[in-house]
Amino acid sequence: MNHTRRLGALVARKFFGALVVLSLLASALPSARAQHEGHTMSAPARPKAKAARKPAPKRAAPKRSTPRRATRRTTQPATRRTVATPAGGGAQQSDPHAGHMQQATPTPTPAPTPDPHAGHVMPQATAPAPRPAPGTTMPQQHQGHGQQMPTQQPAASPTPGGQQQSPMVDHGSPQMTQQQQQQGPEKRMVRSGLIPEGPVVTLDQLERMATERNPTLAQAEASIRAAEGRRRQAGAFPNPTIGYFGEELAFRAAGDTSEHGVFVEQTIPLGGKLGKSKRIFEREREQAEIIAEAQRMRVTNSVRMLYFETLGAQQLVELRADLADLAREAVEITRELYNVGQADRPDQLEIEIEAERAEIESLRARTDWEQAWSALGAMVGDPGLRPARLAGSLEEGAATLDQEQLLTTLLSASPEIRVARAGVERARAVISRQRAERIPDLFVNAGVGYNNEILERDGRKTGAEGRIEVGVNIPIFNRNKGGIAAAEADLAIAERELDRLQLSLRTRMASSFRAYRNAQTTVEKYRTQVVPRARLAYEMYLGNFRQMAASYPQVLIAQRTLFQVEVEYARALVELRRGAAGLRGFLLEGGLDAVGRPGEGDERTEKFQLRSASDASGDSDNQ
């Protein structure tokens, strides 16, 4: 009986246990099916397990000078959900496409976060990331793979406009300000104090100042007045000679035999000597006027060349200052990259050297600008002229010149050619004057007096009487052959000087136009090819950086390259404008050189002087 009762109780307990197992299996089957379909079901509470052994911290990866490769982007990134847990618990992230949940163990401070869009490692803030509390789990799923991954980025915080900021942007990463992104590289830097903003000086003002104050122009005008004075003097008639004469002055009876009176002596040039001498100095006055015109062109060309040179120096000062600012900014960014292990010490030293060189070039550009202003002030006749901002642009008015047309105009209308032609005419006038020297001048002497001699006829004094003398020089010993030969030789020199000057101008034109053409080709290449490509590269890097597809140092490098290209472009523009000014100004330079005077030996005038008959030695040329 007892045995049967015990057997019944055992069977009842086994049956009850089977029912419990079946009920548990029935309750677990829908949860597994729902989890497989992408739904997360809350698991039943489990008893607290023993504390797991704390994993050993992983050894930090060695520093690398090159950026790490970013993880490959997927076409459809997985959407993550964050489920908040009570205090003391970690956040759970579930992937609806995976269906698996993994718990990540607490990890040490993460390394610099890679950019998933670019493949460049951006430095994070220097402050260490907060560690999770003990026992806090940070699960993360990635497309169904059960790997434990450290937390990549904090959740993006929404902006007032509704857009989310990139998780890459933090206070520790080198970023461009909004003003720097909106402005171009030409106006990005603050240039206060480099070039005065006012008053602005124009080219017309400088040319007007040079016309009023340049001392060489006053010298040229005085030379014209001097030539006019010599012309007037050469045509003047010789002055007569007036004197007293006394004859037969007897010491015993001075009042009985003496003669007293006054006379007038006049030399009358014959053979048109006065007119011929006047024509010589008319040619000299013509030369003086052309020399003055050439000097005005020299001053104008010099002012324009110095204006373009100063304008280019002004632009270079601003560009060099921007380059120096970029170099300093690159030093700071390289220092930040070095602090986070993304740059080596040699990289930092190299960029620091480049920054120092940029500072030196900036100071040199400032000195060149001040020197150009000093030369410009001296050219306009105002040494105390203070540097100011110049108006205008190097790219304005750069028209293409025609070599054949310039050469034709140069050989026909150049002031140097005109001075040489006037010199030839002057030499011919000198020959005509020297040939007229052979014609003798007329000598006339006339006077009146009183004769105290007593006449035997009536015993009275002779009384008043007159006298006259007329004579000519007989060209027997001196026929001025030497003067004529010298004048003919001077004419040959003047004619050969004109030929030499024409050939010299052709050579100078070829050399100057070659330099102008080279500068024009350089400017055209930079304007159409180099500068647009450098600007396009900068804008592409800037756009990629805004989309987090490029690092900021790459933006700096592209920007620095653009500035350097613009510096070379500005120099080529200066050479182009200087060459064009020289070609349009008949290749005349030297606004402060000494002004040549007609009749003097000078490298810019004819090299012969006037010789008159009075300069001859008087020796016979027939010996």
Side-chain angles (χ1 to χ4, degrees), residues 21 61 65 93 95 113 152 168 175 199 202 233 281 322 353 374 383 419 438 467 501 525 548 555 578 607 619:
V21 170
S65 58
Q93 299 179 353
D95 187 357
T113 304
Q152 293 279 336
M168 287 181 56
Q175 301 292 333
T202 63
Q233 183 64 32
F281 291 102
D322 291 347
I353 293 174
S374 178
V419 169
R438 298 176 299 182
R467 56 179 294 184
L501 186 58
K525 284 292 184 181
M548 294 176 295
V555 178
R578 281 177 56 89
K607 300 181 179 179
D619 297 336

Side-chain angles (χ1 to χ4, degrees), residues 461-531:
K461 294 182 179 180
T462 304
E465 63 180 5
R467 56 179 294 184
I468 185 171
E469 296 178 3
V470 179
V472 293
N473 296 322
I474 300 176
I476 297 176
F477 303 104
N478 186 359
R479 301 180 62 182
N480 199 28
K481 290 183 178 181
I484 295 175
E488 291 176 349
D490 289 339
L491 176 59
I493 293 175
E495 291 175 346
R496 299 291 79 78
E497 176 67 15
L498 179 59
D499 296 338
R500 184 200 66 82
L501 186 58
Q502 290 177 346
L503 296 176
S504 176
L505 287 178
R506 288 179 180 271
T507 304
R508 289 163 53 190
M509 167 61 73
S511 177
S512 299
F513 198 84
R514 181 176 64 253
Y516 164 79
R517 182 59 59 86
N518 292 337
Q520 186 183 35
T521 302
T522 303
V523 167
E524 187 67 18
K525 284 292 184 181
Y526 271 86
R527 185 180 63 85
T528 59
Q529 300 293 332
V530 182
V531 175

Side-chain angles (χ1 to χ4, degrees), residues 50-58 105-108 131-135:
K50 294 183 180 181
R53 182 181 300 177
K54 186 176 182 180
K58 297 181 180 180
T105 58
T107 58
R131 296 178 178 272

Side-chain angles (χ1 to χ4, degrees), residues 217 220 287-301 414-419 585-586 588-591 595 604:
L217 297 182
Q287 283 183 312
E289 293 174 350
I290 299 174
I291 290 174
E293 181 183 352
Q295 188 62 28
R296 284 191 292 269
M297 289 185 181
R298 283 190 173 90
V299 172
T300 301
N301 293 343
S414 172
E416 295 178 284
I417 294 292
R418 293 164 58 194
V419 169
F586 299 103
L588 296 174
E589 298 181 12
V595 180
R604 295 182 307 185

Side-chain angles (χ1 to χ4, degrees), residues 283-356:
R283 301 287 83 78
E284 284 198 4
R285 186 188 65 178
E286 181 181 354
Q287 283 183 312
E289 293 174 350
I290 299 174
I291 290 174
E293 181 183 352
Q295 188 62 28
R296 284 191 292 269
M297 289 185 181
R298 283 190 173 90
V299 172
T300 301
N301 293 343
S302 300
V303 169
R304 290 177 180 176
M305 291 180 182
L306 288 175
Y307 165 79
F308 292 129
E309 183 177 348
T310 308
L311 187 61
Q314 170 182 301
Q315 186 173 347
L316 289 178
V317 165
E318 297 176 344
L319 291 176
R320 289 294 184 186
D322 291 347
L323 281 174
D325 292 340
L326 283 176
R328 285 191 295 268
E329 186 175 354
V331 168
E332 297 297 329
I333 293 176
T334 306
R335 186 177 293 113
E336 293 179 4
L337 293 175
Y338 176 75
N339 292 335
V340 298
Q342 298 303 316
D344 295 335
R345 181 60 177 170
D347 298 336
Q348 185 177 1
L349 293 176
E350 184 177 357
I351 196 63
E352 289 176 355
I353 293 174
E354 184 178 354
E356 293 296 332

Side-chain angles (χ1 to χ4, degrees), residues 70 73 115-122 166 168 175 540-555:
R73 292 184 294 177
D115 183 5
H117 300 284
H120 300 279
V121 178
M122 301 296 294
S166 170
M168 287 181 56
Q175 301 292 333
M540 292 178 65
Y541 273 114
L542 182 61
N544 292 339
F545 173 75
R546 289 173 178 172
Q547 298 177 1
M548 294 176 295
S551 62
Y552 189 52
Q554 290 177 327
V555 178

Side-chain angles (χ1 to χ4, degrees), residues 68-83:
R68 300 178 180 176
R69 292 177 176 261
T71 56
R72 183 179 301 175
R73 292 184 294 177
T74 57
T75 56
Q76 296 181 357
T79 305
R80 298 178 182 176
R81 295 182 181 180
T82 304
V83 182

Side-chain angles (χ1 to χ4, degrees), residues 112-161:
T113 304
D115 183 5
H117 300 284
H120 300 279
V121 178
M122 301 296 294
Q124 296 291 334
T126 55
R131 296 178 178 272
T136 303
T137 60
M138 302 178 67
Q140 184 176 6
Q141 296 80 25
H142 187 72
Q143 296 193 5
H145 299 283
Q147 298 179 357
Q148 296 181 355
M149 301 178 61
T151 304
Q152 293 279 336
Q153 300 286 348
S157 58
T159 59

